[in-house]
Amino acid sequence: VEQIKRLHLLLTVKESAMDVPINLEARRRIAFFTNSLFMDLPRAPRVRNMLSFSVLTPYYSEETLYSKNDIDLENEDG
């Protein structure tokens, strides 16, 4: 509730109007963001019910090589 009051104050005080971007695209993005703060979102599922997702990220300049056979080979993930 306190955050909503603070946001309302920031959006309605005249001094803050001086900091509003002149660029229409920037204004559009800010308006989209502020409107999204008040959207009704569905509740997130419990973490234990979420599907897991893994990403392999090479470290620095480490090479990550897989043969076509390794990539096409089915594993427990499908």
Side-chain angles (χ1 to χ4, degrees):
V1 176
E2 184 63 33
Q3 291 175 337
I4 293 173
K5 289 179 183 177
R6 188 170 170 207
L7 177 62
H8 182 265
L9 181 66
L10 286 172
L11 295 175
T12 57
V13 174
K14 284 190 175 187
E15 287 82 25
S16 67
M18 295 184 328
D19 298 327
V20 174
I22 297 171
N23 184 299
L24 292 177
E25 178 63 13
R27 284 186 186 189
R28 185 190 68 78
R29 289 183 182 199
I30 291 172
F32 179 84
F33 171 72
T34 53
N35 288 334
S36 71
L37 295 175
F38 301 102
M39 290 174 46
D40 291 326
L41 296 175
R43 292 191 56 84
R46 293 185 168 272
V47 173
R48 74 180 98 175
N49 296 340
M50 293 182 185
L51 298 173
S52 61
F53 182 75
S54 297
V55 175
L56 176 66
T57 305
Y59 177 74
Y60 188 54
S61 63
E62 176 184 27
E63 291 186 25
T64 308
L65 301 174
Y66 290 99
S67 69
K68 180 159 175 33
N69 187 37
D70 288 339
I71 294 171
D72 292 337
L73 189 65
E74 274 204 33
N75 59 19
E76 65 273 2
D77 296 329

